[in-house]
Amino acid sequence: MPELPEVETVVRQLAETIPGCQILDVEVIHADLLSEPPDSFRKGLRHSSIEAVSRRGKNILISLSGSQLLVVNLGMTGQLLFTPPGSGEEPADTAAEPSHPAIVFGLRPVASLVYADVRRFGSLRRFTLEDWRAESDRLGPEPLDPQLSPSALQERLGRSRSPIRSWLLDQTRIAGIGNIYASEALFRAGIHPKKPARSLHRQDSERLLKAVREVLSEAIRARGTTLRDYRTASGDRGTFGPALQAYGREGEPCLKCNTPIERIVFGNRSAYLCPRCQEIS
């Protein structure tokens, strides 16, 4: 968390607001989020113009003048919040203000972009376009890419003995899915989280890809899922939480068959399933 729908929500909001802005200054409060010295990071970004905002997997890509890219990964608890140009007065809604600011970008016209992160598992890295292409090539395909067909997915699954839930969480196999939407997609597809990836048949792959795309698309429309820390770029909460059918519903009745939802732990992560609708055999 945040996963593809949360990151996509932030990207869509920022893409409407910050292209055309210039970075006037960068305040580094917590340097451990950077992969280079703070002075180098600040110098490399100052006076750059923001050209576009996009997404790759769980990464926010901010394209800058000078053919460089600022790549922001929100980690577990990161937030990227935009304060639009205004009078300079304190905003009325203080709930949107970050409580753990880590990196602050001063923009022209008068505005700010704040990266906040209570646990500081996220990262901000500068790339050249060439270096980012190499980094991006290490990631798996985008699950919403129309070019990812059920047969292509099945071919990828057939190379792995990993449990399907673990396979979905591996960003080198498919990019953007985390534990929430893996649990939701597997529940919708009727597939047990521990089922070996290579044991899925063609129909399983079709159902899984359809379920993945449906749940991700629905979550994007709801601006993501806020369980605790996630906020949109404007500081709002995601509203998909009440639509979750498996994740976090341990002991509650399955919405399909009324069997209590179970939580199992493997790979150091919890998985939620209906033992009746998602039999492992």
Side-chain angles (χ1 to χ4, degrees), residues 187 253-261 274-278:
F187 172 78
C254 171
L255 300 179
K256 296 179 181 178
C257 72
N258 217 38
T259 302
I261 296 292
C274 172
R276 182 175 180 182
C277 296
Q278 296 171 265

Side-chain angles (χ1 to χ4, degrees), residues 23 44-45 48-52 62-70:
I23 299 175
L45 294 178
S48 296
S49 295
I50 298 174
E51 297 180 343
I62 301 177
S63 301
L64 303 170
S65 56
S67 299
Q68 66 173 330
L69 199 64
L70 174 61

Side-chain angles (χ1 to χ4, degrees), residues 1 17 24-25 48 58 68 75 95 123 140 165 172 215 222 225 253 267 281:
M1 247 296 282
T17 53
L24 294 181
D25 201 4
S48 296
K58 299 180 184 181
Q68 66 173 330
S123 65
R165 196 284 306 268
T172 66
V215 72
T225 303
S281 57

Side-chain angles (χ1 to χ4, degrees), residues 38-59:
D39 288 344
S40 173
F41 182 77
R42 186 182 300 110
K43 183 178 179 180
L45 294 178
R46 284 186 65 193
H47 308 304
S48 296
S49 295
I50 298 174
E51 297 180 343
V53 185
S54 58
R55 180 189 59 78
R56 177 71 171 103
K58 299 180 184 181
N59 299 290

Side-chain angles (χ1 to χ4, degrees), residues 6 17-18 33 42 86 126 129 132 140 155 159 162 207 265:
E6 291 73 45
T17 53
I18 65 173
L33 292 162
R42 186 182 300 110
R126 289 191 306 130
L129 297 183
W132 172 248
E155 193 271 332
R159 305 172 192 166
S162 296
R207 290 200 318 276
V265 179

